[in-house]
Amino acid sequence: MFLGIGPIPASGAGGVFDTAAQRTIEAVAAADELGLNGKSVFFVTDRIPYRDIGGYYLDADAAVATYPDTLETRFCIGTRILDYVWAGLPMVISGSELQREFIAEPGLGFVVPPGDARALADAILRVKSLAHDDAWAAAFAAARDRLRWPAAIEPIVRYCVSAAVRTRRPTRRVWSARRDLAEFLLRNAVIRACMWLGGIRQA
């Protein structure tokens, strides 16, 4: 299933320089030629509201996300990847060392070089062959524990406390207030991001 790809362009539309449109045309044509379109290959052209995307992930067996070799790809772990962790989806991601450290090393899936079609195909086949491996469940449970709020904000809290220690010794109440403030700010930022992704605007 290809999610949220947008309207499928007509053959030849967009010009030879629109590589994304061209790849979409080729993928649909290949699915049609093999008789798989609408049977085992599905193209979801509409943008899916964020509040509904979890149902798609929970019905899936694995996830594939490919990105070009850009600065964002090299230094970003996107919300889509965090959603895969939430759903426990073994994944194949195109990325760099950051993605490799976050995904491949803990055993959440495989990371391939952007643009390497052969490596991508091999990684998808590896995920398929390991679909029922019990190691996936343990790896994703550990990853979710690392991403829970107390663990996620711990470096920020540690930094805030260490900065205060250099000036004066804070009381337990001050330390607790700073921790609560850091958690509030992070939660607020995540909620705003989710609202933006879901197309929700504040009144």
Side-chain angles (χ1 to χ4, degrees):
M1 181 176 292
F2 296 84
L3 298 180
I5 64 172
I8 298 174
S11 180
V16 296
F17 298 110
D18 190 347
T19 56
Q22 185 60 38
R23 295 296 178 267
T24 300
I25 293 170
E26 291 172 359
V28 174
D32 288 338
E33 182 179 348
L34 295 171
L36 301 177
N37 197 356
K39 298 178 180 178
S40 56
V41 176
F42 301 90
F43 297 93
V44 180
T45 58
D46 295 330
R47 183 176 294 276
I48 301 169
Y50 189 75
R51 62 179 176 273
D52 299 331
I53 195 66
Y56 288 84
Y57 291 153
L58 292 176
D59 284 339
D61 297 316
V64 178
T66 57
Y67 302 97
D69 187 10
T70 64
L71 191 65
E72 181 182 8
T73 299
R74 296 180 188 181
F75 296 104
C76 177
I77 296 294
T79 54
R80 184 178 291 109
I81 294 176
L82 297 180
D83 288 341
Y84 298 161
V85 175
W86 167 79
L89 286 178
M91 62 189 87
V92 177
I93 307 293
S94 61
S96 59
E97 288 306 313
L98 176 62
Q99 289 77 22
R100 197 175 308 282
E101 179 182 347
F102 186 85
I103 297 167
E105 292 181 8
L108 306 179
F110 303 98
V111 177
V112 300
D116 191 333
R118 173 54 59 189
L120 178 66
D122 290 344
I124 293 173
L125 291 176
R126 290 179 68 187
V127 166
K128 183 177 183 297
S129 68
L130 297 171
H132 303 293
D133 193 325
D134 293 338
W136 291 119
F140 278 97
R144 284 190 287 267
D145 285 340
R146 291 194 303 274
L147 293 171
R148 295 186 190 280
W149 276 110
I153 68 171
E154 194 274 335
I156 297 175
V157 172
R158 187 172 63 246
Y159 171 79
C160 294
V161 173
S162 64
V165 168
R166 288 196 294 270
T167 56
R168 60 185 176 84
R169 184 179 181 86
T171 64
R172 179 175 297 180
R173 181 175 297 178
V174 171
W175 185 91
S176 177
R178 286 174 176 163
R179 180 193 62 194
D180 293 342
L181 176 61
E183 181 172 354
F184 169 78
L185 292 175
L186 280 173
R187 284 181 182 273
N188 189 53
V190 171
I191 290 172
R192 286 177 179 273
C194 291
M195 291 174 63
W196 181 82
L197 290 170
I200 301 172
R201 297 290 185 268
Q202 287 182 309

